[in-house]
Amino acid sequence: MNVHDSEKMAGILSETGYMRTDVTNDADVIVLNTCSIRDKAEQKFYSELGRLNKIKKNRPNLKIAVAGCIAQQKGEILFNKFPYVDYVLGPNNIDSLQEWISSRAQNKEHRSQTTALQINPEYHTKTLPVRREGRVRAWVSIMYGCDNYCAYCVVPYTRGRERSRSSHDIKTELIKLAKDGFKEVTFLGQNVNSYGKNLLEDSSFSSLLKALHEVDGIDRIRFVTSHPKDLSEKLIKTMKELPKVCNHIHLPLQAGSDKVLSLMNRKYIFGEYMEKVTMLKQAIPDIAITSDIIVGFPGEDDADFNMTINALDEIQYDGIFAFKYSKRPDTKALDLPDHINESTKSARLKKVLKLQEEITFGKNKRLEGKVLKVLVEGPSNSDKSRLTGRTGNNKIVNFYGDEKDIGQFVNINILQARQHSLFGEKV
Ligand code: SAH
Ligand code: SF4
C-alpha cells in the first residue's frame, strides 16, 4: 500500500514537471514516505532523516517533505524536532503535495511549516496521477482506511475510517491500465472483503469483482488483504467462477490461539478460520493461501504459541509474513498485561520462520517437473540476465527468455525449486 502511495506521489511530482532521480544529491525535492506499522520501520525513518539533514546543510535549497503514517501521527512534532523538514502530509492528503509544489514554484512558501494532516473525508473520491513502477502489473486502490481496530494496529488511527472508491472510478482506472498495456491488477485495501460499506450504490466486493472482470485486456485480478471475518461463501464462489481472479488469497491468521485472537480483537476463532480455509480448498483445489503471523502478543504463553505452530502445520501455507509484536502508540494492546520479553519473542519468531521455510520449500519442491503458466514481468532483480514472472497462485518463476516475452504468458517447465522462487525453462 505504501509503495502504491509512493507511486501516486511520484505521479503528482511528474505532472508538476519534476523528474525522478536515483541520486539523492541531485534532488531538489525529497519526499520520505513513512511507515509506522512496527517500531523498526519508524526507527529506519529517523536515521534516514538524519542523513538528509547532513545533505541539506550543504544544499540549503533542498526541500524535504515527510509523508505517510509517521507524518500523520507525529505532525507538528516533526517540525519542532527536525526544523529542516519543510512539509508534512498524511496518507489521506497525498493530493496536497501538488499545492505545496505549486506554491514553491511561485516562491510562495506559505505552505511550508504547515501540515496537511486532517483526514480528508473526500480523499476516496479522487483519482490521483500514478507513476507506476512496472508495465505489466499495477496496483489499484479500491478503499482506504480501516474500521477493525485490531488491538495491536495503528492503521485505523493513521489512515482513518474505511471508505471505498466508487466502482465507476475503479473501472475507469482499469480501462486506462488495459489501454496502457497492463495485464494484471492487484486491488488494494486493508480489508477488501468489506468493500462498499460506505457507498450508496449496491456494491459488495463480489459484485465489484464481477463488474471489473469485464474489462478487456486485464487478464489477471488479485487482491489484498482479506480479513477472515469478512470472507464469505459468496466471495469464494465468485473467486471460483471468475477465471481472471487468481488462485491465491492472503488471509492473515495472526495467531492460532482463541485467547490471543480475542485479545487481538480479531473477531474470529481459529475454528471459524479453518472452516473458511476448508471451503477455499474445496472450491479451488490448487489455491495458494498466505498469511501474516504475530508472535509474542501480550499474554501469549507457551501453550498459545504452540497453537500457532500447530496451525501452520495444519494449514500448510504457501508463505507467510511473520512479525514480533511491536508496541504502537494509541493502540489498545499497550494497556494489556503480560507483555512478552524480547528474547522470547525472538525465539518464537525464529521457530515460526524455520517451520514455514520447510513447508514453503516442500511445496516448491513438489512443483519441479511441472509446466506452469507465467506472466512475465521483466528482468529479475537478482540476475538481470534472467526474466522473472509469476504464476496465477503467486509463485515467482525465473528463467532465461527474450525481451519480447515481457508482458506475455509463457509456459515454463520447472527445473529447480528454491526457497523463495522457482527456476525453469521455456517450453
Ligand atoms: N489490513 C491487513 C494488514 C495490515 S498490516 C490485515 O488486517 O491483515 C500488515 C501486518 O502487519 C498485519 O497483518 C500484522 O500481522 C502486522 N502488524 C500490524 N501491526 C503490528 C504490530 N503492532 N506488531 C507486529 N506486527 C504488526
Ligand atoms: Fe490493522 Fe486489523 Fe485493520 Fe488490518 S484489519 S489494518 S490489522 S486494524
Side-chain angles (χ1 to χ4, degrees):
M1 195 159 298
N2 258 30
V3 177
H4 187 43
D5 281 350
S6 294
E7 288 183 336
K8 291 175 188 166
M9 290 187 243
I12 290 175
L13 289 169
S14 299
E15 287 212 339
T16 344
Y18 282 82
M19 266 160 46
R20 185 192 159 132
T21 173
D22 291 327
V23 184
T24 317
N25 270 313
D26 287 350
D28 297 317
V29 172
I30 295 178
V31 184
L32 283 180
N33 190 15
T34 62
C35 169
S36 65
I37 198 85
R38 284 170 291 276
D39 186 53
K40 212 165 151 186
E42 193 163 334
Q43 296 316 320
K44 221 165 118 185
F45 155 68
Y46 290 120
S47 59
E48 185 59 20
L49 200 54
R51 199 174 72 86
L52 294 187
N53 184 24
K54 285 192 198 123
I55 294 175
K56 190 161 171 166
K57 278 193 178 128
N58 295 324
R59 300 184 50 225
N61 287 335
L62 169 68
K63 295 291 168 193
I64 299 174
V66 180
C69 289
I70 299 178
Q72 184 67 47
Q73 276 202 310
K74 304 283 180 204
E76 297 291 339
I77 299 173
L78 284 177
F79 284 135
N80 300 338
K81 263 179 106 171
F82 309 102
Y84 51 92
V85 169
D86 297 285
Y87 192 57
V88 177
L89 65 153
N92 275 275
N93 299 82
I94 288 176
D95 48 329
S96 78
L97 202 54
Q98 195 149 20
E99 207 184 317
W100 176 60
I101 291 289
S102 320
S103 68
R104 272 185 30 70
Q106 295 157 22
N107 277 331
K108 284 191 245 156
E109 289 296 323
H110 66 276
R111 294 289 299 187
S112 190
Q113 299 285 327
T114 62
T115 55
L117 298 169
Q118 297 298 323
I119 294 182
N120 177 358
E122 297 304 318
Y123 183 65
H124 64 291
T125 60
K126 301 180 183 225
T127 298
L128 300 180
V130 184
R131 190 184 185 283
R132 298 186 193 268
E133 288 299 322
R135 52 191 173 101
V136 180
R137 312 164 66 213
W139 281 303
V140 175
S141 301
I142 63 163
M143 61 205 293
Y144 300 107
C146 181
D147 286 348
N148 286 315
Y149 290 96
C150 299
Y152 49 80
C153 186
V154 83
V155 169
Y157 306 96
T158 57
R159 290 185 178 262
R161 296 284 59 71
E162 186 180 298
R163 285 141 298 144
S164 300
R165 286 179 75 198
S166 77
S167 60
H168 174 268
D169 287 355
I170 301 169
K171 195 165 182 176
T172 307
E173 189 169 339
L174 239 60
I175 291 168
K176 177 155 189 316
L177 284 169
K179 224 172 99 205
D180 292 344
F182 287 89
K183 295 271 171 65
E184 180 179 309
V185 288
T186 303
F187 299 137
L188 293 177
Q190 298 294 349
N191 181 9
V192 291
N193 303 358
S194 73
Y195 170 84
K197 260 182 3 196
N198 64 300
L199 295 172
L200 293 174
E201 58 191 272
D202 171 29
S203 198
S204 65
F205 186 51
S206 288
S207 31
L208 180 75
L209 283 178
K210 282 180 190 155
L212 300 178
H213 200 263
E214 288 167 10
V215 176
D216 285 335
I218 298 296
D219 295 324
R220 271 186 180 175
I221 295 175
R222 302 182 189 276
F223 48 85
V224 278
T225 293
S226 295
H227 194 300
K229 78 174 164 60
D230 295 313
L231 174 65
S232 64
E233 223 174 322
K234 184 174 155 206
L235 179 57
I236 295 174
K237 197 163 159 261
T238 305
M239 286 177 72
K240 181 187 162 88
E241 279 168 11
L242 299 179
K244 291 182 185 175
V245 174
C246 290
N247 294 349
H248 169 226
I249 188 162
H250 186 64
L251 194 66
L253 170 66
Q254 312 296 0
S257 145
D258 289 346
K259 180 190 97 186
V260 175
L261 287 172
S262 166
L263 289 170
M264 285 178 165
N265 193 29
R266 287 291 287 180
K267 304 189 184 90
Y268 53 84
I269 57 170
F270 180 65
E272 288 164 341
Y273 182 94
M274 278 314 294
E275 274 171 29
K276 297 198 175 172
V277 167
T278 307
M279 246 193 284
L280 279 163
K281 287 184 176 172
Q282 268 167 5
I284 310 163
D286 68 337
I287 192 161
I289 307 181
T290 54
S291 189
D292 293 343
I293 297 289
I294 297 177
V295 298
F297 188 76
E300 181 190 72
D301 59 26
D302 285 341
D304 295 315
F305 173 66
N306 280 333
M307 290 183 210
T308 297
I309 291 289
N310 293 341
L312 297 182
D313 241 341
E314 185 176 349
I315 299 165
Q316 298 278 304
Y317 286 118
D318 291 77
I320 61 164
F321 297 105
F323 316 100
K324 291 190 267 187
Y325 165 71
S326 168
K327 288 184 183 174
R328 300 286 67 212
D330 300 328
T331 58
K332 291 264 175 352
L334 281 180
D335 302 326
L336 287 173
D338 304 323
H339 279 253
I340 310 295
N341 65 51
E342 203 49 36
S343 64
T344 306
K345 280 195 232 176
S346 299
R348 287 180 183 169
L349 182 65
K350 212 168 146 191
K351 202 166 166 190
V352 159
L353 291 175
K354 185 168 176 291
L355 171 61
Q356 186 56 45
E357 269 184 13
E358 286 163 16
I359 297 172
T360 303
F361 188 63
K363 288 199 150 199
N364 286 350
K365 200 84 191 139
R366 286 196 284 285
L367 295 172
E368 284 180 353
K370 295 225 156 59
V371 173
L372 305 178
K373 190 172 158 191
V374 171
L375 175 59
V376 185
E377 290 163 25
S380 149
N381 275 340
S382 55
D383 177 352
K384 296 278 177 222
S385 68
R386 293 194 307 208
L387 293 177
T388 191
R390 267 161 223 262
T391 64
N393 58 12
N394 215 29
K395 307 277 176 199
I396 295 172
V397 179
N398 297 311
F399 67 101
Y400 291 104
D402 307 319
E403 174 85 24
K404 64 178 170 30
D405 292 329
I406 298 172
Q408 304 300 317
F409 286 95
V410 294
N411 287 321
I412 303 288
N413 178 24
I414 303 303
L415 300 173
Q416 196 189 15
R418 311 241 160 106
Q419 185 59 54
H420 299 291
S421 64
L422 302 164
F423 177 73
E425 63 184 4
K426 246 164 85 171
V427 180

